[in-house]
Amino acid sequence: MINTLISVLTNGHAEQLLPALVALLLTFSAIWMLKGRFWAIIYVALIPFLNWSFGVIPEFQVVEPHQSALFAHGVSLHPMTMVTGMVFVVRDFVQREMHHRVLIAMALAVGWSFYYAWPVIALASGVAFAISEGVDWLMFTFTKYRLSTRILLSSLFAAPVDTTVFLYGADLAKQMEFGAEPGNSLHFWNWIVFVIGKMVGAVIVSVVIRRREDLGLTDPKEL
């Protein structure tokens, strides 16, 4: 059990346990000093975990590859796709904790991705988050929509951008690691499935928040 935990914390490099623990402690101390609490810690841990999972956990085929042009590559779905969609929602809650300092939390999370995930995946994720989270941040910061609407719209705008960049990186990583053909991950049907999967979580959270707003339990104008 202890060896498994050490392996998880060090990404299989047990000899790096001490510096890894020190770096993690400094990371979470910085988050705390920047007024980040529960949601911020979840956010910074979630992004590296998801990037790691896309390099380790295999996708499953929803539709097998077919000779027809329509499903030439088939349609695959990664088990963590819906959880990935929740990142945008979690980020919105982090902004309520940290306000604009959420961008620092994002940078820390992407930085840890380079330690825990394939470098190509981490790089693709970093670029994707830099673009999509920027869109998300602008929507959440400057629009006057109620909170539940902001959560839904920010995910709606961010998910397609994130999906495009990330699938391109995953496609390239599989070519480099496994010699896969170009287009193994980034193709139309895979893109559609990933975006829908990501939006499901955002819709669920938006509906819950909307009900709380209607009941007077959550302020619709809350940041």
Side-chain angles (χ1 to χ4, degrees), residues 18 20 37 50 74-75 90 92 97 100 113 138 169 174 190-191 211 222-223:
L18 181 58
R37 295 297 183 263
L50 288 173
V75 180
V90 172
D92 293 340
E97 290 182 347
H100 301 317
S113 293
L138 290 170
K174 290 178 183 177
N190 218 21
W191 187 90
R211 290 179 179 175
E222 184 176 356
L223 291 174

Side-chain angles (χ1 to χ4, degrees), residues 3-38:
N3 289 337
T4 301
L5 179 60
I6 292 174
S7 179
V8 169
L9 290 175
T10 62
N11 196 26
H13 301 283
E15 71 280 2
Q16 299 176 5
L17 179 60
L18 181 58
L21 288 175
V22 171
L24 286 168
L25 178 61
L26 291 174
T27 297
F28 292 118
S29 296
I31 293 169
W32 192 268
M33 288 189 293
L34 291 168
K35 309 300 182 184
R37 295 297 183 263
F38 174 78

Side-chain angles (χ1 to χ4, degrees), residues 65-143:
H66 196 272
Q67 291 182 346
S68 68
L70 189 60
F71 294 109
H73 297 283
V75 180
S76 59
L77 180 65
H78 195 279
M80 303 305 292
T81 299
M82 287 182 59
V83 180
T84 302
M86 296 297 291
V87 169
F88 301 116
V89 178
V90 172
R91 193 220 62 84
D92 293 340
F93 285 106
V94 176
Q95 183 158 348
R96 295 164 66 191
E97 290 182 347
M98 301 178 68
H99 303 293
H100 301 317
R101 293 183 296 274
V102 66
L103 298 176
I104 299 176
M106 182 192 77
L108 290 170
V110 171
W112 275 107
S113 293
F114 280 91
Y115 181 69
Y116 286 109
W118 290 347
V120 175
I121 292 274
L123 179 60
S125 174
V127 174
F129 275 109
I131 297 171
S132 61
E133 293 283 353
V135 173
D136 195 41
W137 176 76
L138 290 170
M139 174 66 67
F140 198 78
T141 302
F142 297 108
T143 67

